[in-house]
Amino acid sequence: MKKKVLVTGATGFTGGYLTEELAKRGYEVRALSLANQNVDKLKELGVDVVIGDLTNKETLIPAVEDVEIVFHIAAIFREQNVPNQYFFDVNVGGTKNLLEASLAANVRRFVHCSTVGVQGEIKNPPAKESDPYDPGDVYQRSKVEGEKLALKFFKENAIEGVVFRPVGIYGPGDLRFLKIFRWVNSGKFRMIGKGDVLYHLTFVRDLVDGIILCGEKNEAIGEIFTLGGNQYLKLSEFVKLLASILGVPEPKASIPVWPVWLGGLLCEIACYPFRINPPIYRRRVDFFIKDRAFDISKAKRLLGYNPKVDLVTGLKMTADWYRQENLL
Ligand SMILES: NC(=O)c1ccc[n+]([C@@H]2O[C@H](COP(=O)([O-])OP(=O)(O)OC[C@H]3O[C@@H](n4cnc5c(N)ncnc54)[C@H](OP(=O)(O)O)[C@@H]3O)[C@@H](O)[C@H]2O)c1
């Protein structure tokens, strides 16, 4: 009999790839989707779509019925124009609702998607899973609370629980990294600060392989895993690599950090009451000034996690997709 699984966030970037791969591997996949989303692609894959909202527990009951494994990928993440409380409503309250509904439905395993952002800036890179929490913004704080809640729930209840923390996720279909691709491609890129911080990415398909291992392997139960690519590098090296992949000259100019950070703060204050996206915000500046490099050896050792797509190949595939979609 096929294993029945639920994926939340299946209309999003990572959840979409995960859903497709699970269906390809013969799982019977159900997807939770907010109302009014385009679910045609999911339906084409033979996925059973249940309309629901993490903040409304009643709507989750049909989603978890007869499910063996829940992959909880959905989160509020990129949104800048929502009240801070909404991050907690979805990333903490929504996780609690889904955990409770899953337990009541006798779900065997719950795979919870966190983020390496729960560790914020890394003091002694590369960070291990056991290094302390140090969230730097409202999204990261909500992910810490969601992760802690899930870990406590796993300890106190008869459900197999796994937490994984992805590093920055990129690949065809992602629009978050499009900004830096465009900026470098335009020749107008300016490094904010020295560019000597470390940066770590994962190609989305490699991440999906890791997520599925979290759902399948007994060694995963009760553990936290950082899932990232094999390679991390200095931001300046990353930009140089990106420029060579895009076929443009390496950007050399830089600007100091503090005026941009202050500008970000002022933009956030000015835009927040009007619920509009600030043109610059501090989280964007953090990208240039915080070390983020992670040790992925635990996932390799316990799960057999083995990222296959090197950075050059992955960035080329992503650039090709942006060009194909006329985004670059
Ligand atoms: N992208 C990264 O670099 C990165 C790095 C580390 C960790 N993560 C984590 O990875 C996960 C996936 O990230 P992503 O980049 O793939 O995000 P994404 O594309 O923004 O997808 C998020 C998904 O969550 C769904 N969602 C939001 N609120 C919901 C609610 N109230 N009820 C049900 N579904 C809801 C969204 O639905 P709609 O499609 O309807 O909007 C969307 O499908 C998240 O947990 C994120 O925290 C991401």
Side-chain angles (χ1 to χ4, degrees), residues 122-167:
I122 302 307
K123 305 282 182 309
N124 297 302
K128 287 188 184 310
E129 289 84 348
S130 51
D131 286 347
Y133 290 116
D134 185 17
D137 57 40
V138 62
Y139 160 70
Q140 293 174 350
R141 285 196 299 279
S142 72
K143 291 296 270 189
V144 170
E145 269 198 44
E147 178 180 308
K148 283 184 175 171
L149 177 107
L151 290 168
K152 186 165 181 279
F153 194 92
F154 300 151
K155 276 211 178 104
E156 292 173 354
N157 295 284
I159 190 164
E160 297 174 1
V162 187
V163 168
F164 69 93
R165 297 174 180 162
V167 302

Side-chain angles (χ1 to χ4, degrees), residues 23-44:
K24 215 189 282 171
R25 293 193 195 184
Y27 283 87
E28 190 177 335
V29 189
R30 187 178 290 153
L32 179 78
S33 169
L34 289 166
N36 304 320
Q37 290 297 318
N38 183 346
V39 292
D40 292 350
K41 192 166 173 224
L42 295 174
K43 293 239 161 109
E44 273 167 35

Side-chain angles (χ1 to χ4, degrees), residues 8-16 32-38 52-56 60 72-79 86 89-91 94 112-117 139 143 164-170 173-174 176-177 199 201-202 204 207:
T8 68
T11 48
F13 172 52
T14 312
L32 179 78
S33 169
L34 289 166
N36 304 320
Q37 290 297 318
N38 183 346
D53 186 324
L54 287 164
T55 60
N56 180 348
L60 306 179
H72 178 32
I73 311 299
I76 289 295
F77 171 38
R78 297 154 206 257
E79 291 76 357
Y86 194 55
D89 292 347
V90 176
N91 299 350
H112 175 76
C113 180
S114 182
T115 169
V116 290
Y139 160 70
K143 291 296 270 189
F164 69 93
R165 297 174 180 162
V167 302
I169 311 165
Y170 77 104
D174 167 64
R176 202 167 67 110
F177 284 97
Y199 198 50
L201 290 166
T202 175
V204 61
L207 173 65

Side-chain angles (χ1 to χ4, degrees), residues 62-327:
V64 289
E65 196 184 333
D66 297 329
V67 161
E68 199 177 329
I69 309 173
V70 169
F71 292 96
H72 178 32
I73 311 299
I76 289 295
F77 171 38
R78 297 154 206 257
E79 291 76 357
Q80 292 296 324
N81 55 350
V82 294
N84 284 350
Q85 182 55 41
Y86 194 55
F87 283 86
F88 292 90
D89 292 347
V90 176
N91 299 350
V92 188
T95 299
K96 182 170 184 281
N97 287 340
L98 189 64
L99 282 163
E100 288 172 356
S102 301
L103 186 70
N106 290 320
V107 165
R108 181 172 60 78
R109 186 172 298 197
F110 192 104
V111 179
H112 175 76
C113 180
S114 182
T115 169
V116 290
V118 296
Q119 295 178 309
E121 183 174 17
I122 302 307
K123 305 282 182 309
N124 297 302
K128 287 188 184 310
E129 289 84 348
S130 51
D131 286 347
Y133 290 116
D134 185 17
D137 57 40
V138 62
Y139 160 70
Q140 293 174 350
R141 285 196 299 279
S142 72
K143 291 296 270 189
V144 170
E145 269 198 44
E147 178 180 308
K148 283 184 175 171
L149 177 107
L151 290 168
K152 186 165 181 279
F153 194 92
F154 300 151
K155 276 211 178 104
E156 292 173 354
N157 295 284
I159 190 164
E160 297 174 1
V162 187
V163 168
F164 69 93
R165 297 174 180 162
V167 302
I169 311 165
Y170 77 104
D174 167 64
L175 297 177
R176 202 167 67 110
F177 284 97
L178 175 61
K179 294 179 202 82
I180 193 160
F181 276 72
R182 278 186 173 158
W183 201 8
V184 172
N185 196 48
S186 68
K188 292 180 188 154
F189 180 86
R190 301 284 177 275
M191 184 64 77
I192 301 172
K194 293 192 184 121
D196 54 1
V197 292
L198 292 170
Y199 198 50
H200 201 163
L201 290 166
T202 175
F203 189 69
V204 61
R205 288 194 189 282
D206 281 336
L207 173 65
V208 160
D209 287 343
I211 300 173
I212 296 175
L213 289 168
C214 289
E216 288 178 344
K217 291 277 184 175
N218 283 337
E219 291 82 350
I221 301 169
E223 300 289 344
I224 301 175
F225 296 99
T226 297
L227 298 178
N230 277 319
Q231 185 190 0
Y232 51 81
L233 72 181
K234 281 189 182 171
L235 195 53
S236 55
E237 292 165 350
F238 172 73
V239 170
K240 186 175 171 188
L241 181 64
L242 193 52
S244 85
I245 283 166
L246 293 168
V248 297
E250 180 193 344
K252 297 265 171 108
S254 68
I255 44 179
V257 172
W258 72 264
V260 190
W261 190 91
L262 192 64
L265 175 64
L266 294 175
C267 282
E268 283 175 54
I269 293 168
C271 293
Y272 186 77
F274 304 103
R275 301 273 180 269
I276 49 174
N277 282 333
I280 34 170
Y281 46 92
R282 285 166 297 167
R283 204 158 105 203
R284 172 97 31 103
V285 183
D286 284 350
F287 178 81
F288 292 89
I289 57 174
K290 291 193 171 175
D291 261 322
R292 282 144 306 162
F294 300 85
D295 181 344
I296 59 165
S297 60
K298 182 176 171 187
K300 287 188 164 185
R301 198 176 65 249
L302 291 188
L303 303 179
Y305 174 59
N306 177 26
K308 296 182 192 72
V309 181
D310 63 80
L311 203 50
V312 173
T313 310
L315 291 174
K316 274 188 183 150
M317 286 165 74
T318 309
D320 286 349
W321 185 79
Y322 289 149
R323 290 208 173 98
Q324 194 186 305
E325 299 292 315
N326 291 322
L327 293 167

